[in-house]
Amino acid sequence: MKVDRRFKIGAHMPVSKGFYKVPYETKEIGGNSFQIFNHSPRTWKCSWPNDKEITKFKNSMRDCQINFDNAFVHSGYLVNLASPKDDVWEKSIRLLIEEIKTCELLGLKYLNIHPGSHLGEGEEYGLKRIITALNRVFKVVENSDVIILLENVSPKGGNIGYKFEHLGYIMSEFKGKVAITYDTCHGFDAGYDITTHLGMKKLIEEIEQTVRIENIKMIHLNDSKYPLASAKDRHENIGKGYIGINGFRNFLSFEEFQNIPLILETPGSNLEHAEDIRILQTEILNKI
Ligand code: ZN
Ligand code: MN
Ligand code: MN
């Protein structure tokens, strides 16, 4: 499928065949942006890419004309900067530092994280814990150009960051480089109704009062398997869920969001994502 240069579109891509494959596969599915894990997301350590792998990756980025500004890394699943368990918290800090260093090696500048879960200790505790952790990370990688993206999450399991107030608070207290990812499924889970004009007005107003629109560097474009405010965190393919084609048309008709990379984390892999991109292009972006 032809890549539409007006928009930045892509998906979460597998890295199993090597980092250098990602730009080529991104082009194959009709994208010009992507997100990856930079190590196995279920482990506590990074496997450093060697010089050869790094060169191959940078060459393929150039070959495929993918801008490093439109390439994102998602942190591993185990990281929990709000954890009340000291061992998990310490390991999370260490792993995040390794992930940042891996980003640097690959020339990638955005690392997306979930703020963390307080696991029952309360939101105030969780927020403080996250800020302490991030400031400790920043002390070690102070000179890094990598920007941490705080993702809004679903309001479940003691999660911090389901509302912009949380993200804004972390942004104001963290001394390092930080910006925001907006996930449409998680936002819908938390009651942000992007399917209506009024809902969008309220969303934009809340963003402006907290994190500011210009700090949103990535959209996780996911439909939702469950209705508004369900707090389920079940992503659905574009148009097949409760946000739906019309909901995404409404969301993307606001020009505030049109220049931000739209990254799919919908069910399936490259094949399904190619279909999601086709629907996004033909049914949504061409009709706004
Ligand atoms: Zn995420
Ligand atoms: Mn997401
Ligand atoms: Mn999710």
Side-chain angles (χ1 to χ4, degrees):
M1 181 155 165
K2 206 177 160 297
V3 176
D4 186 339
R5 288 277 159 202
R6 287 178 304 157
F7 298 97
K8 297 156 191 163
I9 306 170
H12 187 95
M13 303 298 288
V15 295
S16 44
K17 287 177 249 155
F19 290 117
Y20 82 100
K21 280 277 189 191
V22 173
Y24 295 110
E25 291 186 0
T26 294
K27 264 183 89 173
E28 273 168 32
I29 67 168
N32 52 21
S33 315
F34 63 78
Q35 174 178 274
I36 54 171
F37 291 123
N38 67 13
H39 66 100
S40 169
R42 287 185 178 81
T43 62
W44 279 113
K45 60 186 189 59
C46 284
S47 39
W48 307 106
N50 62 38
D51 288 350
K52 202 176 147 201
E53 286 170 307
I54 294 165
T55 306
K56 266 173 97 176
F57 173 68
K58 289 183 176 172
N59 287 341
S60 79
M61 286 291 278
R62 202 184 46 225
D63 257 15
C64 298
Q65 294 180 286
I66 295 180
N67 193 319
F68 280 85
D69 288 345
N70 304 329
F72 301 85
V73 174
H74 197 300
S75 176
Y77 296 127
L78 301 176
V79 170
N80 181 5
L81 300 179
S83 179
K85 298 174 194 144
D86 284 329
D87 59 330
V88 173
W89 190 69
E90 292 290 345
K91 281 199 280 188
S92 297
I93 291 171
R94 242 177 291 149
L95 183 55
L96 193 59
I97 292 167
E98 286 194 15
E99 288 175 344
I100 289 171
K101 289 180 175 171
T102 308
C103 283
E104 283 174 347
L105 289 173
L106 293 166
L108 297 166
K109 79 176 199 199
Y110 291 114
L111 176 60
N112 180 91
I113 67 168
H114 298 176
S117 166
H118 59 72
L119 303 171
E121 293 297 312
E123 291 184 351
E124 205 173 319
Y125 171 91
L127 283 164
K128 294 256 155 67
R129 192 83 158 153
I130 292 162
I131 290 155
T132 308
L134 283 174
N135 284 330
R136 270 195 41 197
V137 169
F138 182 60
K139 259 194 178 166
V140 179
V141 291
E142 209 167 356
N143 297 318
S144 173
D145 292 323
V146 174
I147 298 164
I148 299 283
L149 297 182
L150 302 170
E151 177 178 357
N152 71 306
V153 289
S154 185
K156 60 184 275 191
N159 276 348
I160 301 287
Y162 58 86
K163 51 182 174 185
F164 289 102
E165 195 191 332
H166 293 161
L167 304 178
Y169 182 68
I170 298 167
M171 271 182 102
S172 68
E173 299 290 315
F174 173 43
K175 316 240 171 350
K177 298 181 187 76
V178 64
I180 300 292
T181 296
Y182 186 68
D183 184 307
T184 56
C185 172
H186 300 167
F188 200 67
D189 264 343
Y192 295 108
D193 189 2
I194 60 169
T195 69
T196 68
H197 190 81
L198 183 67
M200 282 302 296
K201 287 282 182 200
K202 280 163 109 177
L203 174 72
I204 290 168
E205 193 184 298
E206 194 173 324
I207 290 172
E208 280 305 341
Q209 286 166 357
T210 51
V211 300
R212 312 290 306 267
I213 292 273
E214 70 260 30
N215 287 313
I216 300 184
K217 302 300 179 193
M218 167 162 64
I219 303 289
H220 280 166
L221 201 79
N222 301 313
D223 210 331
S224 174
K225 267 198 211 311
Y226 287 89
L228 185 68
S230 292
K232 295 272 198 196
D233 195 3
R234 287 288 174 273
H235 303 191
E236 182 55 285
N237 295 96
I238 301 300
K240 299 216 171 84
Y242 279 86
I243 296 174
I245 299 289
N246 287 326
F248 284 115
R249 267 188 213 155
N250 183 61
F251 175 65
L252 290 166
S253 68
F254 286 77
E255 56 184 22
E256 288 90 335
F257 296 98
Q258 291 173 354
N259 278 317
I260 307 171
L262 308 168
I263 303 294
L264 304 158
E265 295 174 319
T266 48
S269 194
N270 292 357
L271 219 64
E272 291 79 7
H273 293 151
E275 177 60 7
D276 277 332
I277 287 175
R278 192 189 66 76
I279 290 169
L280 173 61
Q281 187 70 71
T282 58
E283 300 300 318
I284 298 164
L285 297 175
N286 288 351
K287 294 184 179 168
I288 55 174

